[in-house]
């Protein structure tokens, strides 16, 4: 484990081709989706896995679901409370309805393919951002310590996360996305309920019906099904 880095994703890319985990006690320039800053107090988990996948980019991107399932497995193994955790499309892990963890995939291209993929993971083990720091309408951040009373170190969390991810990676490469899709849906937050999905220019409302074979969100809008490949979801 490194003491301090700018971001574990950036550090992981410097260690390409991998596979290798990079975990740091502190990030000085951590970031989330859409370039948002990611608060990085010591004691939380900041880790990135660097891979050099060979599939087409649309298959490579499905590893966000492998990462989410691995995070869920690690959290359940450490707490023994499967009912407390859920997965929010496309890349968050919830604890008691609040945001516990996020996933950020970044890649370096090679022609039309992906030369290197880095899967960045941040988990609020002991501290969560103040609700005033999150986007209006977003879920309230929570920490594992505050919600469960358990103080888990980043090293102990990695001991659960790394083998859990390896199992889902093997499933994805050996059996395809179908078993990951089924497992993800069984852990999905707000499945069958009304949600809002906001793209860069539009907001779509409907019933969260499923995810399709590409990982896209499928909304039922008055009997019409709409597949949305990328969006921010609000409950």
């Amino acid at each position: 484990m490194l003491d301090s880095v700018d971001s574990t994703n950036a550090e992981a890319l410097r260690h390409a081709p991998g596979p290798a985990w990079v975990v740091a006690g502190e990030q000085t320039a951590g970031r989330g989706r859409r370039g948002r800053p990611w608060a990085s107090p010591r004691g939380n988990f900041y880790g990135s896995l660097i891979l050099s996948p060979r599939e087409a980019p649309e298959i490579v991107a499905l590893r966000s679901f492998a990462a989410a399932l691995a995070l869920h497995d690690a959290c359940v193994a450490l707490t023994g409370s499967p009912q407390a955790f859920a997965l929010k499309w496309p890349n968050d892990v919830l604890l008691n309805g609040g945001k516990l963890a996020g996933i950020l995939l970044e890649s370096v291209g090679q022609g039309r393919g992906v030369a290197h993929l880095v899967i960045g993971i941040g988990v609020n083990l002991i501290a969560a951002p103040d609700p005033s720091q999150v986007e209006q309408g977003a879920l309230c951040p929570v920490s594992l310590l505050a919600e469960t009373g358990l103080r888990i170190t980043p090293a102990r969390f990695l001991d659960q996360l790394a083998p859990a991810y390896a199992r889902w990676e093997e499933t994805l490469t050996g059996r395809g996305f179908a078993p990951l899709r089924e497992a993800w849906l069984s852990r999905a937050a707000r499945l069958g309920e009304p949600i809002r999905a906001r793209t860069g220019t539009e907001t779509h409302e409907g019933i969260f019906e499923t995810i399709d074979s590409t990982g896209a969100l499928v909304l039922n809008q008055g009997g019409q099904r709409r597949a949305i490949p990328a969006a921010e979801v609000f409950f």
Side-chain angles (χ1 to χ4, degrees):
M1 178 182 288
L2 302 173
D3 180 64
S4 180
V5 297
D6 49 357
S7 85
T8 58
N9 270 21
E11 183 67 18
L13 285 169
R14 291 190 281 266
H15 285 265
W21 281 93
V22 172
V23 179
E26 176 188 49
Q27 293 184 122
T28 58
R31 59 189 182 275
R33 294 189 72 217
R34 303 184 188 274
R36 298 187 184 109
W38 184 278
S40 303
R42 287 187 178 273
N44 286 348
F45 180 86
Y46 315 110
S48 298
L49 174 62
I50 181 71
L51 300 169
S52 297
R54 301 189 177 187
E55 303 96 341
E58 61 270 19
I59 303 300
V60 171
L62 295 174
R63 283 175 170 82
S64 64
F65 294 94
L69 288 164
L71 271 169
H72 190 279
D73 287 353
C75 290
V76 171
L78 288 164
T79 65
S81 301
Q83 71 284 352
F85 298 93
L87 302 179
K88 177 177 176 283
W89 189 91
N91 57 5
D92 292 337
V93 178
L94 308 185
L95 169 57
N96 296 333
K99 180 174 176 178
L100 175 72
I103 301 163
L104 177 66
L105 267 62
E106 295 183 304
S107 62
V108 175
Q110 184 174 49
R112 295 184 178 179
V114 175
H116 308 301
L117 173 73
V118 61
I119 304 172
I121 294 173
V123 185
N124 299 328
L125 293 179
I126 67 167
D130 188 277
S132 65
Q133 298 176 358
V134 303
E135 183 179 2
Q136 185 176 6
L139 292 178
C140 182
V142 298
S143 74
L144 192 70
L145 177 61
E147 294 294 315
T148 69
L150 297 173
R151 185 177 289 272
I152 305 296
T153 65
R156 185 179 172 196
F157 193 84
L158 181 64
D159 286 345
Q160 292 291 335
L161 178 63
Y165 181 84
R167 291 191 292 270
W168 288 112
E169 171 77 16
E170 182 179 5
T171 300
L172 178 63
T173 56
R175 299 170 55 197
F177 182 56
L180 276 73
R181 175 179 176 271
E182 180 180 1
W184 191 95
L185 285 168
S186 72
R187 298 159 172 80
R190 303 296 179 94
L191 188 65
E193 298 182 19
I195 63 171
R196 290 181 292 121
R198 190 177 69 195
T199 66
T201 58
E202 299 178 304
T203 296
H204 304 282
E205 297 186 9
I207 303 299
F208 177 17
E209 187 170 292
T210 189
I211 59 172
D212 67 16
S213 60
T214 70
L217 175 75
V218 178
L219 292 183
N220 187 317
Q221 298 178 304
Q224 299 294 317
R225 301 173 87 236
R226 177 188 290 268
I228 301 172
E232 298 277 354
V233 167
F234 298 86
F235 296 155

